[in-house]
Amino acid sequence: MSFRKRNVGLPSPSPQSQAPVSGTQSSLIPGVLPSPLDGRPTTSTGTSSLDDLLGHSGFALGNSLLVEENGTTEFGATLLRYFAAEGVVQGHSVHIVGVGEPWGRELPAVVKTAGAESTKPEAQTAVEKDRMKIAWRYERLGDFGTGPSSARAPPAVNRAPTPAFSSGTASTAPTAFCHTFDLTKRLALPDGSRLNYIPVRLVPRDVSPFQSILQALNEQLASSSSSTVHRFIIPNLLSPALYPTQASNPQHLLQFLHSLRAFLRRYSTQLAIMMTLPIMLYPRSAGLTRWIELLSDGVMELSPFPRSIEAGPPMTASGSATSQEESPQGMVKMHRLPVFSEKGGGGTLGDDLVFIVSRRKFVIKPFNLPPVEGDSEAQRGEGEGKPTAVDIDF
């Protein structure tokens, strides 16, 4: 038996298999970018410094963030308004629990910068040349170590306008990932904005007041398309001004939080939740508050400074008393960050952080105490341990 070489031709692939699958052909969701760490979809909280702290250069979808606030201030509500305003600008569905339309009318307006209004061909050509100098994957990484926590800071995302396409329109207008808002102006709600106000209904004492909230959220998620991003906002959870007395019953509250986690895992690429809790009424030492923290993916605490400190001499975040920097309004404690990936990586930030609220920004940055007033040697760095010319003279 002899063996002969047979030239067997391979069948030509079908035209469908020859078409390459590119990421640009798929429609991009406005306001959503992949994480530089693991590629999971992220959206912006409306505060760039908070985006850098959350570990993915943004708020990873499918997670919840609990903001605890001491005192009677409204800094936590400001973060929620930034989060809601960013969702309205990006065209996301925003669901607000317990408050009515007056809360939505107080959303801050977008600041129009001069660079965004410029449409000169020379400026566009320069931007395109800069973008061609680096690969698109590394373009969004930014400068490592420039975040609020120095070397532990995650890579900063590129917040330059990026192309975003709506699922229902063919518009190719560029949309920024994170906008700048002005607290002194009000956002004009565009036509077709999806703001949904979910009331807290009065029910008998043996019935959970959260059932109607979960039912409304379930209907909104089930009736929307897979490309719709939902932002679920809960201001002042368990506040007596918004919730009945049985809302603090662990049987009702824990079931509500477990249901929210189930929604987050089921709609891991569509849903993000942010809520505030007044810990002056529910301190962290209470068992109920600890359960709320355990059932939240991220936990941060805002501790405003007393008014006597705010009225005193300015304390800068960098430790140098300069007139250019603004005085911080309080401390920020990151008790837990969302998990970076399935292999772990979540944790806490040990650095001392402060927040600064001004007309056009809510900034979180590291905080160092300034030198003692009147100690000129310490301000110049001339400590007692520094050798002098007499000490080194032989």
Side-chain angles (χ1 to χ4, degrees):
M1 182 177 179
S2 62
F3 294 92
R4 281 189 309 175
K5 181 180 178 181
R6 296 181 179 180
N7 297 327
V8 179
L10 297 176
S12 61
S14 60
Q16 295 180 356
S17 61
Q18 290 180 354
V21 179
S22 61
T24 56
Q25 292 180 357
S26 60
S27 59
L28 301 178
I29 303 177
V32 177
L33 287 178
S35 169
L37 296 177
D38 54 7
R40 69 177 62 195
T42 62
T43 187
S44 176
T45 60
T47 308
S48 59
S49 57
L50 181 58
D51 292 343
D52 296 337
L53 280 176
L54 293 179
H56 292 274
S57 296
F59 189 18
L61 295 178
N63 289 274
S64 61
L65 178 62
L66 174 65
V67 181
E68 301 174 339
E69 184 173 4
N70 273 309
T72 58
T73 55
E74 291 291 331
F75 295 116
T78 303
L79 280 179
L80 294 186
R81 288 190 174 93
Y82 274 113
F83 185 63
E86 184 68 35
V88 172
V89 173
Q90 300 289 358
H92 299 168
S93 294
V94 181
H95 313 280
I96 308 171
V97 177
V99 294
E101 295 184 4
W103 194 91
R105 297 194 192 103
E106 297 180 359
L107 297 181
V110 180
V111 176
K112 295 182 179 180
T113 59
E117 297 177 356
S118 177
T119 58
K120 295 182 179 180
E122 296 81 1
Q124 295 178 358
T125 305
V127 172
E128 292 177 357
K129 290 182 179 179
D130 293 339
R131 295 185 62 181
M132 292 179 62
K133 293 179 182 179
I134 187 170
W136 68 271
R137 182 176 181 86
Y138 302 99
E139 178 186 0
R140 297 173 179 172
L141 291 179
D143 298 330
F144 184 78
T146 58
S149 56
S150 184
R152 295 189 60 183
V157 71
N158 180 22
R159 305 183 192 282
T162 55
F165 303 92
S166 176
S167 59
T169 62
S171 175
T172 59
T175 304
F177 179 73
C178 182
H179 295 81
T180 304
F181 297 96
D182 191 347
L183 290 173
T184 61
K185 299 180 181 180
R186 296 296 171 254
L187 179 65
L189 299 179
D191 296 335
S193 59
R194 292 170 286 188
L195 272 176
N196 181 27
Y197 301 97
I198 304 177
V200 179
R201 304 186 185 278
L202 296 178
V203 294
R205 296 183 62 88
D206 56 343
V207 179
S208 173
F210 302 108
Q211 290 183 358
S212 60
I213 300 175
L214 294 174
Q215 183 179 1
L217 178 60
N218 186 24
E219 293 176 355
Q220 292 290 333
L221 292 173
S223 61
S224 63
S225 62
S226 58
S227 61
T228 303
V229 178
H230 298 264
R231 298 180 179 227
F232 194 67
I233 301 174
I234 309 178
N236 294 327
L237 179 64
L238 300 182
S239 174
L242 301 176
Y243 295 87
T245 55
Q246 69 267 27
S248 58
N249 188 345
Q251 180 181 359
H252 302 323
L253 179 61
L254 298 184
Q255 184 179 3
F256 171 67
L257 296 176
H258 277 289
S259 300
L260 291 182
R261 288 180 66 87
F263 282 125
L264 289 171
R265 300 306 178 260
R266 182 178 179 182
Y267 302 94
S268 59
T269 59
Q270 296 180 248
L271 180 61
I273 298 178
M274 184 179 291
M275 52 187 170
T276 58
L277 177 69
I279 58 176
M280 186 178 66
L281 302 177
Y282 302 93
R284 299 191 68 235
S285 58
L288 185 62
T289 305
R290 296 298 297 169
W291 271 109
I292 298 175
E293 293 180 353
L294 290 174
L295 295 175
S296 302
D297 297 306
V299 180
M300 64 180 295
E301 179 183 353
L302 302 179
S303 300
F305 291 142
R307 294 185 179 274
S308 59
I309 296 181
E310 294 182 2
M315 296 186 302
T316 60
S318 62
S320 59
T322 59
S323 59
Q324 288 80 7
E325 299 187 17
E326 300 177 5
S327 176
Q329 277 83 7
M331 301 291 296
V332 178
K333 299 179 182 178
M334 299 296 298
H335 297 297
R336 185 165 71 251
L337 293 175
V339 178
F340 287 165
S341 64
E342 288 76 6
K343 297 181 180 179
T348 58
L349 287 175
D351 299 336
D352 292 330
L353 304 173
V354 294
F355 64 90
I356 300 175
V357 182
S358 63
R359 175 185 175 185
R360 293 187 177 182
K361 63 181 179 179
F362 191 111
V363 180
I364 301 175
K365 57 175 61 178
F367 174 72
N368 296 314
L369 290 175
V372 180
E373 187 176 358
D375 191 357
S376 59
E377 294 183 358
Q379 295 179 1
R380 293 193 304 267
E382 299 177 357
E384 297 180 356
K386 185 177 180 180
T388 58
V390 180
D391 298 331
I392 62 178
D393 188 13
F394 295 100

